[in-house]
Amino acid sequence: MTTARETVLGRIKDALALAPTPETTVPRAYRTGRTLPDDERLALLTDRLVDYKAHVRTCTADRTADAVAEALRERGARRIGVPAGLDPAWLGTYEGEVQQDSAAVPASRLDALDGVVTASAVSCAETGTIFLDGSPDQGRRALSLVPDLHVCVVDLSTVEVGVPEAVARLVPERPTTLISGPSATSDIELERVEGVHGPRTLVVVIRTDR
């Protein structure tokens, strides 16, 4: 005796066999190679992030620890999580508790953290999107989704103009998380609701040099 699911899938399989779809060539002539001066990419990314209700700080590389500590202190983050490969110098002036994340930590325990600090892989100025690829300084996806505050450090040298340019810098085999502002959605009455699928607060620290 077959189930309803098996019946439906069987009919779909039969229909596909009777009407095979011819192979099609997908055009890949994307617009690529766009560049902008550093100051214009910085301004464009900042504009997009602020429009998405993210908070943006800029600093030079030698001021990274101060910028991160100030962002955490302003939001009362006394206990934070970090990926195992995060540069410890970035937390050099932070006075709170730091917990290093690992796959052995249950995702439910991440909810007890006040926030998380990660690096980033690439960013797209045109869309205001930050890409995390699971590298040691970015950690697993749960770490950047469960805590209510995410402080993300972005190097201006990793900011590309458009999506094709940004995607070209990614490793396809790596797990990629795309972040465009704090987590937000709309209910049935189109009222904005934040924090449903991730952090309600996103602070982006953009380092203008390496």
Side-chain angles (χ1 to χ4, degrees):
M1 182 175 180
T2 60
T3 64
R5 179 177 182 274
E6 292 171 336
T7 300
V8 171
L9 292 177
R11 290 177 180 175
I12 293 174
K13 183 178 180 181
D14 292 341
L16 291 174
L18 293 173
T21 303
E23 291 188 6
T24 59
T25 301
V26 179
R28 303 292 185 184
Y30 306 125
R31 181 174 59 180
T32 60
R34 289 176 294 166
T35 60
L36 286 173
D38 286 353
D39 59 339
E40 293 185 28
R41 282 185 292 117
L42 175 59
L44 182 58
L45 177 62
T46 300
D47 176 76
R48 297 297 191 268
L49 288 170
V50 171
D51 188 52
Y52 289 144
K53 300 185 183 303
H55 304 272
V56 179
R57 290 174 171 268
T58 59
C59 68
T60 54
D62 61 344
R63 293 278 298 168
T64 304
D66 292 333
V68 170
E70 289 168 5
L72 294 170
R73 183 169 57 251
E74 286 179 359
R75 288 156 186 84
R78 301 300 304 166
R79 179 190 301 167
I80 65 167
V82 298
L86 190 77
D87 187 344
W90 291 3
L91 301 173
T93 60
Y94 175 63
E95 299 177 349
E97 179 184 345
V98 178
Q99 297 184 8
Q100 184 172 293
D101 187 46
S102 73
V105 178
S108 58
R109 286 179 53 187
L110 299 176
D111 194 42
L113 299 172
D114 297 322
V116 58
V117 178
T118 74
S120 58
V122 187
S123 295
C124 173
E126 195 169 59
T127 63
T129 304
I130 300 170
F131 297 74
L132 308 184
D133 68 358
S135 293
D137 59 358
Q138 296 156 55
R140 56 178 173 157
R141 183 167 293 164
L143 182 64
S144 61
L145 293 180
V146 177
D148 206 36
L149 166 66
H150 183 188
V151 177
C152 186
V153 179
V154 171
D155 283 319
L156 184 56
S157 61
T158 67
V159 177
E160 295 289 345
V161 175
V163 172
E165 292 84 4
V167 170
R169 295 183 60 162
L170 296 171
V171 179
E173 293 78 17
R174 299 197 65 84
T176 304
T177 301
L178 279 64
I179 303 171
S180 294
S183 169
T185 187
S186 296
D187 63 17
I188 195 171
E189 296 180 349
L190 300 182
E191 291 291 334
R192 181 182 173 93
V193 180
E194 298 178 347
V196 177
H197 308 296
R200 281 182 290 185
T201 304
L202 172 66
V203 180
V204 182
V205 176
I206 304 176
R207 307 201 308 169
T208 55
D209 64 3
R210 298 289 295 226

